[in-house]
Amino acid sequence: MFLINCPYCGERDQQEFKAGGEAHIERPKQPTELSDDEWAEYLFMRKNIKGVQFERWNHAHGCRKWFNMVRDTSNDEIKAIYKMGEKPPTQ
Amino acid sequence: MTQNLRVKSSEFIDETNRISFKFDGKTYYGFKGDTLASALIANNVHLVGRSFKYHRPRGIMTSGSEEPNAIVQLNPNSNITEPNARATEVEIYEGLEASSQNCWPSVNFDIGGINNFLAPLFPAGFYYKTFMWPKSFWEKYEFFIRHSAGLGKSPTTKDPDIYDHRNIHCDVLVVGAGISGILAAKNAAKNNFKTLLLDEKNELGGSTIFEANEYNKINHNLASEWLKKEINELKNIKNLEIKTRTSVAAYHQYNYLLARENLTDHLDKKNKKNKIRQRLLKIRAKKVILATGALERPLIFNNNDRPGIMLSSAVKKYSNFYGVACGTKNIFFTNNDSAYESALSLHNKGIKVEAIIDIRENSDAKIIKKINDAGIKIYWAHSIVDTRGYKRLSRVSIMKLSNDGTSVTGSKISISCDCLGIAGGWTPAVHLYTQSGSKLNFDEERKIFIPKTDTKEQISVGSCGGDFELDEIITNLNYKLKNFLNINKTDFEDITLENDHETSKRNIWLLPSDQTIGKTKPFVDYQNDATAKDIKLALREGFRSIEHVKRYTTTGMGTDQGKLGNMHALGIIADTAGVKMGELGTTTFRPPYTPLTFGTIVGRNVGEFFDAFRRTPMNDWHIKNKAKFENVGQWKRSWYYPKEGETMHQAVQRESKAARKSAGILDASTLGKIDIQGSDASEFLNRVYTNAWSKLAIGKCRYGLMLNEDGMVYDDGVTTRLGENHYIMTTTTGGAANVLGKLEDYLQTEWPELDVYLTSVTDHFATASLCGPNSKKILNKIIPDLDLSDDNFPHMSFKEVLIDKIKCRIMRISFTGELSYEINAPASYGEAIWQKCIEAGKEFNITPYGTETMHLLRAEKGFIIVGQDTDGTMTPIDLQMDWIVSKKKYDFIGKRSLYRSDTMKENRKQLVGLLTEDPNIVLEEGAQIVSELNQKPVEMLGHVTSSYFSPNLNKSIALAVVRDGKNMMGRKLFVSMENKNINVTVANTVFYDEKNERLNA
Ligand SMILES: [Zn+2]
């Protein structure tokens, strides 16, 4: 059970949050220009890494804000948390 | 007849407080402070259960939560009986009743014991191998297995006890109140850390507290005496909370631990009453100190499971702590010095010790001299090759061990005895440590797994960290504590320590016998009856991974999770396969450390609190008017309102007719409502719905269909423009929360530039939906001032009005195809407005109707219900709703997916109407549709999604999804129902009032 530091509310228990999958996959600005394969790449393909992964999380039972998290999926260490729109930290 | 084995009063037992209890129907006496196990032994009861597979007689083996054998049924004759309690943990109280498990008709004469003689037929993987063939016999096997399997019996009525959950936040959590835990907690608290100390037992002090070893001294006193003083001081320390009878079940990431606090199980019935039985503590600790101690290992030899064979440390605890002798002729069997301490303890209490059998060549421990002085014979380099005694141990046979430890030689010596204390060394209790995600190291020299690392948030101290000798424990504890807590000094760093050191070691995982392994029964997992032979068989059959061997042989899979024998299993696998134990790794230790009751896990979330219901403001009226309710998501919705003697079918037919002939009223409060405001609100709606919104005039309503990005229908509902930058969106009842979540997601992450604010207002409004040709007259009676003409208040428009000074929003929208008005009132006035409608509607025989009638009426009109007629694979085109998909808009959620090759395919499943040849037959929802009856395998074309008998059309109607249904209009198909095929014809989805004339009736 993680202890997650919501950038708006502070440290809260994991059960207040909802995981939202891989981060930094931007919705294409001009979907009609894309081939079926390119659209499928955006729509379906996710990395699901064992190791350091960039994820979206939502403080669903709190401030309802979305934010990003860098998490090592092999040991669940949360390496960084940053707001939507902010640049991901470089290692 | 019964011999009293109580030997000497103990300070831990209150002999002035005599307690009677029943075991297997017989009354016995014990004292306050006894466990069921100690009281039974004191009464000379040693046979307490039967093993799981072979039904071998089993006795008490340990004195703690690691007990594999002495598991009992509590309150066996009650319908709230509880199985699998460990007799070693059950504290006796007046009136306690317990019985043996796994035996029928009695523990002394058990039919299943025949399995013991059939043992050669029950090898590892027996169930997998035998019952797989022939396949058709499975049902017969299953009957047999189900009747012979299982531990104990379940309660048959609802648990009457109260359980609770509590959140705790602390600076330092110390798990285990042995000497290390106590010193750690005391020093943490003294240094201003808010500290919590937990122990699963009812007393503090661990194993040191009943220590009588005069070679272990602190400040020149017995370690136990010194520790008692330390414990005494604890009560004066602030910042320290201590909880006993509290077992940590799980250790999750980020120092989140779950513990079970047992509050009343040790009390008699009178004192239990109305109290919380158990409490689940949800602990978030800044720092965790694990001081969970170590578990003594058994030795694995032929017939090592008879009643009377116990862990050496348990024999010592029964004598030193409970004042009970486990036998009158005791023997110890050991590979280390600790059994000598146990032997001496017994001897000093006047309990006879016949001999000590040691697999080592010798030992230079100081205590050996004392043993010699006491006249106890030591057999060096000997091993037990067999034991005798069916219901209780009667003798052991020993032989000389070869130098390499793989065989025995010489002549057999037989020793008479009734108790055998076995001492196989110690296993650090690293279960919680590994649950936290931390890794173990294998110490080849000492043959133990120990924690690999301490961190800033967690340390392991004492024997769970691999320190066994007193000086080692205290010195390392002092060093670790200072670093961990960042303090300069501990209050115990100046104490003087004296203790002996163990020097000679000899570890043999599987001790040899003079018989071949095939003829012996060396039990590794007592509870599941897994022997060394089973493990070797699994390896011969090609299993290599320890996780696989574990499952195949069921080693470690009992309620005790193999706390005693897991290390031996690993050792035997390593020896047999010729690999190093460190490379083999260990099986995963999973929570809970000891079993939890379901009650503890769910706490107060039972009955009506299991999943809280949501009720509309009109709920009381529905109840008063005898509504039957249906669960929709978390909501309780009126399903139908039967009149005296009416069936559901009759009620729904009546309600449906009334709504079309005169007037009906539906409670639609549960529909999700989202308030949308902001200068970009129109643009936002354009992006989330498939149709266009920019031109919707203020005061007008529009139906919208929302897709997922994959093009599949996600939700639908009517949205009304209340102002220039203000909309109110309705969603399906079940979809409300998800729709809001999805919209927020897009707003925050994809379109943060949009000026839009979303607020859930579902609970703020109550909605009464008036429907039918007379609804206009009823509304006119309620609001005479409002011009209800089609010009002033047309279909798909909205008015804000006052009804008795209550501000209401009225939408003229329809889900039934009839003239309808939805009156939205502030929730607290919901019932009043509803009542007003009912009053005004009386002269028109206004009929309240529920969700079933609503479903029927909309099906007559071919309106979809998202989630019933769609299932996440239907596009708007599949639903034949092309009209709602804007061709002009550049983009909206899901648009691109509607042009994928797969979604544009011609022969997708599409929504159609179905009419039965016999108008009286109502199809089953979910029934499969086929075009051929004689084809095998038959192709399934689709299935029925909605089906009703329509009283307004006087025939049955159905909606269905059918492959290429669009091009099948008029085709004859078949619907398979139980035992028959129904002839149907594909029809239009709109069955009633195709021209929508009734909206303005
Ligand atoms: Zn938050």
Side-chain angles (χ1 to χ4, degrees):
Chain A
M1 195 72 84
F2 311 162
L3 190 61
I4 298 174
N5 194 2
C6 171
Y8 305 94
C9 308
E11 286 190 335
R12 293 288 193 281
D13 199 278
Q14 184 186 344
Q15 65 184 17
E16 293 184 15
F17 297 84
K18 202 176 108 181
E22 195 178 331
H24 304 297
I25 297 178
E26 203 182 334
R27 187 175 188 272
K29 289 269 181 301
Q30 295 175 315
T32 44
E33 313 290 305
L34 301 183
S35 69
D36 271 11
D37 283 351
E38 285 165 332
W39 179 247
E41 180 69 27
Y42 156 72
L43 197 55
F44 301 120
M45 296 310 185
R46 298 295 181 268
K47 290 199 199 80
N48 197 17
I49 302 163
K50 181 180 179 181
V52 176
Q53 178 161 287
F54 292 75
E55 300 175 334
R56 287 154 24 97
W57 282 75
N58 181 225
H59 195 183
H61 302 282
C63 63
R64 278 186 13 210
K65 284 282 193 185
W66 283 89
F67 56 88
N68 292 311
M69 180 191 287
V70 187
R71 179 173 69 106
D72 187 332
T73 59
S74 68
N75 61 9
D76 288 329
E77 189 192 335
I78 298 171
K79 296 190 172 286
I81 281 175
Y82 52 101
K83 292 179 182 174
M84 280 293 158
E86 287 180 357
K87 278 228 169 76
T90 46
Q91 277 145 344
Chain B
M1 187 193 90
T2 41
Q3 195 179 358
N4 187 353
L5 289 179
R6 190 77 61 177
V7 279
K8 201 172 173 207
S9 60
S10 154
E11 60 185 295
F12 303 100
I13 298 294
D14 179 5
E15 292 200 24
T16 64
N17 193 344
R18 205 170 89 127
I19 288 168
S20 77
F21 65 97
K22 273 188 181 171
F23 182 70
D24 281 339
K26 216 173 144 201
T27 302
Y28 298 96
Y29 295 94
F31 298 119
K32 184 83 197 149
D34 266 327
T35 60
L36 180 59
S38 69
L40 284 173
I41 295 172
N43 283 283
N44 207 20
V45 176
H46 302 279
L47 170 60
V48 295
R50 293 272 176 166
S51 68
F52 184 53
K53 197 156 84 179
Y54 303 133
H55 289 240
R56 283 170 70 101
R58 291 282 164 80
I60 294 153
M61 221 188 141
T62 71
S63 58
S65 61
E66 69 271 35
E67 177 62 36
N69 289 341
I71 54 175
V72 297
Q73 186 90 32
L74 299 178
N75 301 309
N77 303 314
S78 153
N79 48 16
I80 52 161
T81 182
E82 184 180 328
N84 300 331
R86 290 160 297 281
T88 49
E89 287 196 301
V90 174
E91 296 173 51
I92 62 165
Y93 55 83
E94 191 63 39
L96 169 71
E97 283 188 48
S99 70
S100 315
Q101 290 186 175
N102 293 341
C103 50
W104 186 84
S106 80
V107 71
N108 275 296
F109 177 76
D110 172 44
I111 296 278
I114 196 103
N115 285 1
N116 187 25
F117 303 104
L118 299 176
L121 301 178
F122 284 89
F126 168 72
Y127 291 97
Y128 301 113
K129 288 169 186 161
T130 311
F131 297 120
M132 296 316 286
W133 188 90
K135 244 184 173 167
S136 57
F137 264 49
W138 169 246
E139 280 177 23
K140 292 187 179 65
Y141 292 138
E142 193 186 12
F143 178 84
F144 167 77
I145 293 169
R146 292 216 185 276
H147 279 75
S148 54
L151 293 170
K153 51 181 188 191
S154 311
T156 53
T157 54
K158 202 175 135 184
D159 190 337
D161 291 319
I162 310 166
Y163 300 85
D164 202 15
H165 286 184
R166 184 182 154 194
N167 288 298
I168 298 183
H169 296 264
C170 59
D171 295 327
V172 177
L173 170 69
V174 183
V175 186
I179 188 165
S180 320
I182 285 170
L183 295 180
K186 191 177 169 207
N187 279 276
K190 274 183 157 180
N191 284 283
N192 294 322
F193 291 94
K194 188 183 163 202
T195 306
L196 177 64
L197 172 64
L198 306 178
D199 198 280
E200 63 177 359
K201 296 212 157 45
N202 62 337
E203 84 284 343
L204 302 176
S207 60
T208 310
I209 203 73
F210 55 88
E211 192 65 69
N213 183 357
E214 50 196 275
Y215 296 106
N216 272 356
K217 286 190 169 169
I218 302 177
N219 286 348
H220 313 296
N221 285 315
L222 279 178
S224 51
E225 294 306 321
W226 182 84
L227 184 59
K228 274 172 207 162
K229 275 188 229 140
E230 289 291 305
I231 291 173
N232 237 335
E233 284 175 30
L234 291 179
K235 57 177 172 286
N236 302 323
I237 297 177
K238 275 184 247 164
N239 285 326
L240 176 62
E241 188 179 3
I242 301 172
K243 286 181 180 295
T244 54
R245 298 186 178 98
T246 302
S247 166
V248 175
Y251 188 163
H252 297 294
Q253 306 105 328
Y254 296 85
N255 279 350
Y256 184 71
L257 296 92
L258 297 174
R260 187 255 296 127
E261 184 182 17
N262 210 337
L263 298 159
T264 64
D265 277 357
H266 60 291
L267 301 176
D268 60 33
K269 289 204 175 75
K270 193 172 72 232
N271 285 307
K272 276 185 175 59
K273 232 181 164 166
N274 298 327
K275 285 186 188 147
I276 291 162
R277 181 190 172 197
Q278 292 176 350
R279 186 180 276 143
L280 187 72
L281 307 177
K282 302 170 172 181
I283 307 164
R284 186 74 78 170
K286 292 208 177 87
K287 288 170 179 283
V288 173
I289 298 175
L290 293 171
T292 47
L295 300 170
E296 188 167 36
R297 291 176 186 172
L299 290 164
I300 311 300
F301 55 93
N302 185 21
N303 286 322
N304 59 344
D305 66 327
R306 300 190 188 281
I309 300 180
M310 308 172 73
L311 294 181
S312 149
S313 58
V315 175
K316 179 165 95 175
K317 181 161 187 183
Y318 286 115
S319 126
N320 286 9
F321 189 91
Y322 298 105
V324 171
C326 293
T328 52
K329 286 182 287 181
N330 297 280
I331 293 183
F332 287 90
F333 182 26
T334 187
N335 68 4
N336 66 86
D337 290 341
S338 66
Y340 292 82
E341 289 171 35
S342 303
L344 199 61
S345 286
L346 262 61
H347 178 80
N348 290 340
K349 281 213 149 49
I351 306 168
K352 183 130 180 59
V353 179
E354 302 280 329
I356 297 175
I357 301 144
D358 197 324
I359 68 169
R360 298 175 298 175
E361 300 286 339
N362 58 57
S363 164
D364 53 12
K366 290 179 199 147
I367 198 167
I368 305 293
K369 187 179 174 305
K370 289 255 179 192
I371 293 289
N372 287 329
D373 292 349
I376 300 168
K377 178 148 178 59
I378 304 171
Y379 294 91
W380 295 108
H382 273 71
S383 181
I384 295 180
V385 295
D386 202 358
T387 66
R388 286 289 165 86
Y390 189 56
K391 291 175 189 169
R392 189 174 178 191
L393 180 70
S394 61
R395 55 179 54 244
V396 300
S397 305
I398 66 170
M399 288 173 81
K400 185 115 176 86
L401 256 180
S402 65
N403 286 339
D404 64 0
T406 59
S407 60
V408 282
T409 56
S411 54
K412 229 183 258 187
I413 307 166
S414 175
I415 311 170
S416 164
C417 60
D418 56 8
C419 173
L420 172 68
I422 52 180
W426 297 86
T427 299
V430 292
H431 308 69
L432 294 177
Y433 171 83
T434 55
Q435 277 181 27
S436 76
S438 306
K439 298 279 176 279
L440 295 169
N441 256 348
F442 188 69
D443 181 336
E444 283 287 349
E445 161 76 15
R446 298 191 290 168
K447 304 284 182 212
I448 52 173
F449 282 103
I450 47 172
K452 198 171 193 166
T453 44
D454 289 334
T455 66
K456 276 191 302 205
E457 287 85 29
Q458 179 204 77
I459 53 170
S460 298
V461 299
S463 55
C464 74
D467 297 336
F468 296 105
E469 317 268 4
L470 184 63
D471 54 351
E472 230 172 50
I473 292 171
I474 301 292
T475 313
N476 284 338
L477 176 64
N478 181 48
Y479 168 78
K480 281 189 174 186
L481 264 188
K482 288 203 287 194
N483 267 325
F484 189 59
L485 301 177
N486 195 20
I487 55 177
N488 293 326
K489 198 170 160 53
T490 65
D491 70 351
F492 61 88
E493 66 185 14
D494 299 327
I495 57 176
T496 61
L497 298 165
E498 299 160 41
N499 60 275
D500 203 2
H501 289 102
E502 183 161 308
T503 49
S504 51
K505 288 190 175 29
R506 188 176 196 185
N507 190 76
I508 302 172
W509 294 115
L510 172 60
L511 291 158
S513 169
D514 55 333
Q515 296 173 5
T516 59
I517 177 109
K519 296 240 162 78
T520 63
K521 288 230 181 62
F523 286 92
V524 176
D525 182 320
Y526 294 84
Q527 195 177 96
N528 274 347
D529 275 344
T531 66
K533 189 170 66 185
D534 293 323
I535 292 172
K536 284 177 178 265
L537 177 67
L539 290 165
R540 266 209 314 282
E541 291 184 355
F543 290 92
R544 280 298 171 271
S545 149
I546 50 163
E547 295 285 358
H548 291 159
V549 173
K550 166 180 161 174
R551 280 156 184 79
Y552 194 58
T553 61
T554 71
T555 304
M557 291 177 71
T559 61
D560 61 334
Q561 291 192 38
K563 290 190 179 74
L564 295 188
N566 271 350
M567 283 301 291
H568 305 79
L570 292 177
I572 292 165
I573 294 169
D575 286 352
T576 310
V579 294
K580 280 191 164 167
M581 274 182 82
E583 293 161 11
L584 205 56
T586 162
T587 52
T588 316
F589 299 104
R590 290 197 173 79
Y593 179 66
T594 50
L596 290 173
T597 58
F598 283 113
T600 312
I601 296 167
V602 296
R604 304 271 179 171
N605 303 321
V606 289
E608 61 174 319
F609 304 115
F610 175 68
D611 191 12
F613 285 119
R614 299 171 79 182
R615 295 183 163 88
T616 74
M618 288 82 110
N619 189 63
D620 289 351
W621 190 94
H622 302 321
I623 291 172
K624 241 182 278 162
N625 288 272
K626 310 259 166 25
K628 296 283 178 204
F629 287 89
E630 162 177 56
N631 295 338
V632 183
Q634 284 187 311
W635 288 99
K636 283 277 180 200
R637 292 197 73 178
S638 301
W639 193 11
Y640 58 99
Y641 299 81
K643 293 209 158 145
E644 193 74 32
E646 257 185 350
T647 63
M648 175 174 175
H649 178 73
Q650 289 164 338
V652 170
Q653 298 287 303
R654 172 180 53 75
E655 291 171 12
S656 303
K657 266 196 261 183
R660 293 224 189 272
K661 294 245 155 61
S662 177
I665 185 168
L666 172 85
D667 181 355
S669 309
T670 62
L671 286 183
K673 297 178 257 312
I674 300 171
D675 189 88
I676 304 173
Q677 300 193 40
S679 55
D680 292 317
S682 302
E683 170 61 17
F684 180 66
L685 288 173
N686 264 333
R687 295 186 191 187
V688 301
Y689 278 131
T690 60
N691 46 352
W693 289 79
S694 320
K695 288 181 189 143
L696 184 69
I698 294 169
K700 297 286 185 202
C701 316
R702 184 165 287 174
Y703 174 76
L705 204 55
M706 198 183 288
L707 309 186
N708 255 330
E709 204 67 273
D710 63 5
M712 304 304 158
V713 171
Y714 183 71
D715 202 77
D716 68 347
V718 170
T719 295
T720 304
R721 189 166 196 174
L722 301 173
E724 176 64 26
N725 298 324
H726 191 187
Y727 290 83
I728 178 113
M729 172 190 277
T730 56
T731 73
T732 57
T733 297
N738 289 335
V739 169
L740 179 68
K742 180 183 159 95
L743 298 184
E744 276 288 357
D745 188 351
Y746 275 93
L747 261 187
Q748 291 180 32
T749 67
E750 300 294 351
W751 309 319
E753 72 280 4
L754 292 187
D755 174 40
V756 175
Y757 303 89
L758 305 175
T759 310
S760 166
V761 292
T762 304
D763 295 297
H764 300 207
F765 294 96
T767 309
S769 179
L770 274 174
C771 152
N774 285 321
S775 56
K776 192 181 273 184
K777 291 177 196 152
I778 296 169
L779 194 61
N780 184 248
K781 282 176 74 181
I782 301 171
I783 327 165
D785 299 344
L786 183 63
D787 175 3
L788 292 177
S789 69
D790 288 348
D791 286 342
N792 184 56
F793 196 176
H795 182 55
M796 297 308 269
S797 64
F798 137 87
K799 296 282 177 209
E800 194 160 68
V801 297
L802 288 177
I803 304 178
D804 292 347
K805 295 183 193 162
I806 303 162
K807 215 196 235 177
C808 296
R809 291 170 178 169
I810 301 179
M811 282 83 168
R812 184 173 164 188
I813 52 177
S814 177
F815 191 41
T816 59
E818 295 297 322
L819 172 66
S820 296
Y821 298 93
E822 277 193 5
I823 308 171
N824 290 276
S828 45
Y829 296 104
E831 194 175 359
I833 296 293
W834 177 272
Q835 194 71 50
K836 220 173 161 57
C837 294
I838 296 283
E839 289 299 322
K842 256 188 188 151
E843 60 176 291
F844 305 100
N845 188 28
I846 191 169
T847 302
Y849 66 92
T851 50
E852 192 64 20
T853 291
M854 173 187 81
H855 287 178
L856 194 165
L857 294 173
R858 66 84 208 181
E860 289 177 340
K861 286 292 296 173
F863 294 149
I864 58 156
I865 289 187
V866 174
Q868 177 162 341
D869 302 298
T870 73
D871 60 0
T873 65
M874 303 295 287
T875 68
I877 321 302
D878 298 338
L879 294 170
Q880 309 220 42
M881 290 172 78
D882 312 44
W883 55 271
I884 203 173
V885 181
S886 162
K887 302 272 183 314
K888 289 188 199 139
K889 281 201 292 181
Y890 180 71
D891 192 15
F892 56 81
I893 297 172
K895 170 160 180 160
R896 176 61 186 83
S897 290
L898 298 179
Y899 299 93
R900 291 179 62 229
S901 56
D902 182 56
T903 44
M904 300 225 297
K905 246 183 0 203
E906 263 307 301
N907 64 340
R908 289 175 60 84
K909 285 183 182 169
Q910 288 136 2
L911 187 76
V912 293
L914 288 185
L915 290 171
T916 51
E917 198 169 83
D918 176 348
N920 289 316
I921 294 179
V922 180
L923 299 172
E924 281 168 16
E925 288 175 358
Q928 295 290 322
I929 299 162
V930 299
S931 62
E932 292 286 332
L933 287 180
N934 299 321
Q935 187 189 345
K936 273 188 185 178
V938 65
E939 191 200 355
M940 297 298 180
L941 294 178
H943 67 278
V944 178
T945 59
S946 295
S947 172
Y948 305 91
F949 187 83
S950 159
N952 299 303
L953 297 159
N954 204 27
K955 64 179 179 188
S956 89
I957 54 167
L959 296 172
V961 292
V962 177
R963 186 166 301 290
D964 204 22
K966 260 183 210 174
N967 298 320
M968 282 204 182
M969 219 40 68
R971 272 279 296 276
K972 301 233 179 287
L973 298 172
F974 306 98
V975 172
S976 317
M977 290 194 358
E978 204 179 357
N979 302 325
K980 57 183 174 198
N981 294 301
I982 313 294
N983 297 340
V984 296
T985 308
V986 179
N988 192 326
T989 53
V990 185
F991 301 98
Y992 187 78
D993 183 28
E994 212 168 325
K995 291 182 181 153
N996 291 329
E997 287 161 346
R998 302 193 59 84
L999 287 173
N1000 299 310

